[in-house]
Amino acid sequence: MIHNLNKEVVPVSGANLKFKDGLCVAAEAEKTVVLYIAHETELVTGEDGQECTITRAVAVEVEKPVTRAKAINAIERIAYNLESVEHLASFNASLARKARTGEDPEEVEEHDQLISWAKTQLTAIGITK
């Protein structure tokens, strides 16, 4: 769907992990939380020939305290490869101008889809505020 949202293997055990419905949805560090969204499982064969199931998800690092708005901003930064909150603000100002003027409606629509998808994913892991 959206570029730059690569999935990584989700941890399965650890003291600072939070689980919801059997899936790891967050890993807490001192100043940040890594949220895991858009989970998908797959069957893999290890080097020993044994099959096992792993889960991959998009990892989104958010500064504490985690809020829905901060998480959405972090997802945008990852999706559009924006290095800072300043770049994100500039990007969003540009999108707003494009929406007002009708310039590049495909980019505006893609962004709207990303935000809708992000909200759905965050709700699924319990980030509602």
Side-chain angles (χ1 to χ4, degrees):
M1 173 183 157
I2 304 295
H3 47 85
N4 294 331
L5 292 178
N6 298 319
K7 294 189 176 186
E8 62 183 55
V9 176
V10 177
V12 293
S13 64
N16 297 324
L17 302 181
K18 179 181 175 189
F19 291 83
K20 183 172 191 249
D21 300 329
L23 297 172
C24 177
V25 297
E28 288 203 36
E30 187 177 329
K31 296 181 181 182
T32 62
V33 175
V34 176
L35 301 175
Y36 295 100
I37 61 171
H39 295 78
E40 54 185 43
T41 58
E42 65 181 275
L43 190 61
V44 296
T45 304
E47 291 179 9
D48 60 0
Q50 297 289 342
E51 289 186 338
C52 65
T53 302
I54 62 168
T55 301
R56 295 183 191 275
V58 176
V60 181
E61 188 172 22
V62 182
E63 286 186 21
K64 290 180 178 179
V66 173
T67 65
R68 189 171 173 93
K70 284 183 186 178
I72 290 168
N73 286 343
I75 293 167
E76 280 183 290
R77 286 181 58 198
I78 295 167
Y80 292 101
N81 199 27
L82 303 169
E83 297 176 11
S84 67
V85 292
E86 291 82 9
H87 288 125
L88 178 60
S90 177
F91 173 77
N92 279 319
S94 175
L95 267 181
R97 181 185 48 75
K98 289 176 181 180
R100 281 192 317 274
T101 64
E103 177 187 343
D104 204 351
E106 294 84 16
E107 183 180 11
V108 174
E109 177 62 26
E110 179 186 84
H111 181 263
D112 289 347
Q113 289 175 1
L114 170 71
I115 298 304
S116 177
W117 176 85
K119 289 177 178 179
T120 298
Q121 296 301 318
L122 293 169
T123 297
I125 65 166
I127 307 295
T128 58
K129 296 182 181 181

